[in-house]
Amino acid sequence: MATETKEDSTQGKNLLHLADAASIVQANQKDTQIETILNGKLTELLTLLKGQLFTNLYRKHISIASKLLYFALTTLIGKKTLGEEYVDIFIVNKKNKGLVKRYQRLLFIFGYTLGPYLIQKLISLWKRHYQTLKEEEDNENNSEEIPWETITNGLLDIHMLIFYFKGAYYDASRRISGIRYVTGHRITDDEKRIRERNSKTYKILGSVLLLQSISNYMPMVKSLTKLLTKSIFKQSVNDTNINSLDQSYRNEKLGIIKGVPDETKSHHIDLSDKDSFKFIPESSRKCILCLSDMIDPGCAPCGHIYCWKCIINWCKEKEECPLCRQTCKPQQVIPLK
């Protein structure tokens, strides 16, 4: 070709071309597939060692452990992942002038595996702290709370927009750690044309995502603006009647359960006793979460029955019925007596 772009000139000096968006996405999809398989194997092993209830309660932790194990055996020791092998790419620093240092690999692995989990925990802690402050102040003028989850999702969408237009840093952890990809082979003319065509396709997808994001997050921006305006020019509200009327609603929103008796003073119902709850058939007396005869059976809103502790612990992690996935909050579980 008679002309040469600036990027082509730079890549000519570095010998290897930066990987295109399509190759990076394919590598990520392959790695995700391997992570799923590894997660399944680890779950099976822990089920044999610790029981079904343990794996049900710690699904997120097992998933994180699977990812840590996968990248510890590949990226951490300087090896390619199976996804990178699949499309023949490997990681370099963000200037494409050398291999990635160990601290960058550690930063990437930490951000990729533990980052989402820690962010979710921080948001949960903030919500509890915010609700506590509202209860102490007893002031409903600040009843609106900052939508941190929506803001986080918005930032991730902005990150993906940049990836679609620029073709670099598929996830935020790679952007933070400064990891980029280059191809492990020379690019032929045919492959170069394919890469250019794929780049145009991803830019079209980016444009669609941009329009969708504008329509989705415009109400959130308005809400934030309103919330910030209220916080700056807030006025004290002393209507105690409204506060008392809304107290029960706030308790339900916070998931507060009152009047729970001391466990040591309670009489436990054990369905291993054939004389207890005879109307429940033998085939339905075992809890699907712990695979044992139910103790203190509790009924979810959908009608499915589990051990009281099993279903409460499950709902604390995920507010849904394990069988039918219908919404089930801890305060909605009814003990059978």
Side-chain angles (χ1 to χ4, degrees):
M1 296 178 63
T3 60
E4 187 180 45
T5 64
K6 182 178 180 181
E7 182 179 354
D8 290 333
S9 177
T10 302
Q11 299 303 335
K13 294 177 182 179
N14 294 329
L15 298 180
L16 294 175
H17 287 73
L18 290 169
D20 61 329
S23 298
I24 296 174
V25 171
Q26 283 183 315
N28 183 78
Q29 290 174 340
K30 189 69 174 180
D31 285 335
T32 301
Q33 181 183 2
I34 302 302
E35 290 167 18
T36 303
I37 295 173
L38 185 58
N39 180 57
K41 297 298 182 182
L42 186 57
T43 300
E44 290 177 6
L45 176 61
L46 290 175
T47 300
L48 292 174
L49 296 177
K50 304 290 289 184
Q52 186 68 45
L53 179 59
F54 178 86
T55 54
N56 286 338
L57 292 177
Y58 295 99
R59 288 174 300 153
K60 292 181 181 178
H61 304 79
I62 296 171
S63 177
I64 292 172
S66 301
K67 293 179 180 179
L68 280 172
L69 179 61
Y70 180 59
F71 285 101
L73 296 174
T74 53
T75 303
L76 183 60
I77 61 176
K79 302 291 184 181
K80 287 184 179 181
T81 66
L82 294 180
E84 293 164 2
E85 287 280 2
Y86 181 69
V87 295
D88 191 19
I89 60 177
F90 62 92
I91 57 177
V92 295
N93 60 31
K94 61 182 179 181
K95 294 183 179 179
N96 189 16
K97 292 184 178 180
L99 297 176
V100 175
K101 297 184 182 299
R102 182 176 290 268
Y103 80 88
Q104 291 177 287
R105 296 198 294 266
L106 281 170
L107 183 60
F108 156 66
I109 294 172
F110 177 81
Y112 181 79
T113 58
L114 293 174
Y117 176 78
L118 293 178
I119 290 173
Q120 185 180 26
K121 287 295 182 184
L122 288 174
I123 291 175
S124 298
L125 288 173
W126 162 256
K127 285 183 176 180
R128 291 198 205 104
H129 177 68
Y130 181 81
Q131 295 290 357
T132 302
L133 289 177
K134 285 204 308 178
E135 290 299 315
E136 291 176 353
E137 295 175 358
D138 198 20
N139 187 351
E140 286 302 304
N141 194 40
N142 290 327
S143 59
E144 296 181 49
E145 59 183 86
I146 299 175
W148 290 112
E149 293 178 349
T150 306
I151 293 174
T152 304
N153 292 334
L155 292 175
L156 291 176
D157 284 344
I158 292 173
H159 168 80
M160 287 306 300
L161 277 171
I162 297 173
F163 171 76
Y164 284 138
F165 286 111
K166 297 292 185 180
Y169 306 118
Y170 184 66
D171 55 75
S173 55
R174 287 183 173 89
R175 183 180 296 278
I176 294 172
S177 57
I179 289 178
R180 296 203 66 177
Y181 282 107
V182 295
T183 57
H185 58 276
R186 292 186 178 276
I187 305 297
T188 62
D189 291 339
D190 289 339
E191 186 174 353
K192 188 175 181 179
R193 284 192 291 269
I194 294 173
R195 284 164 62 105
E196 291 174 353
R197 186 165 60 248
N198 289 339
S199 177
K200 292 178 181 178
T201 302
Y202 275 92
K203 286 180 180 179
I204 294 173
L205 288 174
S207 301
V208 173
L209 179 59
L210 177 60
L211 294 174
Q212 183 181 12
S213 298
I214 292 173
S215 61
N216 288 342
Y217 294 110
M218 188 60 69
M220 186 266 289
V221 172
K222 292 180 179 179
S223 177
L224 274 177
T225 304
K226 181 180 178 182
L227 181 59
L228 291 173
T229 303
K230 281 187 175 182
S231 65
I232 296 173
F233 302 102
K234 66 178 181 178
Q235 298 177 354
S236 60
V237 177
N238 298 318
D239 193 344
T240 55
N241 293 328
I242 294 178
N243 287 335
S244 61
L245 288 173
D246 289 344
Q247 184 65 41
S248 59
Y249 169 75
R250 294 201 304 272
N251 286 342
E252 180 180 354
K253 187 176 180 181
L254 289 170
I256 298 175
I257 303 175
K258 296 185 177 180
V260 179
D262 188 348
E263 186 176 358
T264 58
K265 299 179 181 179
S266 301
H267 173 69
H268 294 286
I269 300 172
D270 190 345
L271 292 194
S272 61
D273 180 5
K274 305 300 181 184
D275 295 329
S276 179
F277 289 2
K278 294 182 179 180
F279 61 89
I280 299 180
E282 181 66 28
S283 59
S284 302
R285 298 176 77 87
K286 291 188 180 295
C287 172
I288 68 163
L289 292 175
C290 64
L291 303 180
S292 302
D293 291 315
M294 291 184 217
I295 296 177
D296 297 331
C299 183
C302 55
H304 294 121
I305 303 175
Y306 312 89
C307 293
W308 176 263
K309 285 187 177 180
C310 293
I311 187 60
I312 292 298
N313 288 334
W314 174 279
C315 291
K316 286 179 180 178
E317 292 290 328
K318 197 169 187 180
E319 293 183 345
E320 65 179 22
C321 173
L323 276 176
C324 65
R325 305 302 179 187
Q326 182 176 323
T327 300
C328 177
K329 298 181 178 180
Q331 61 266 34
Q332 293 178 309
V333 179
I334 301 174
L336 299 184
K337 297 182 178 179

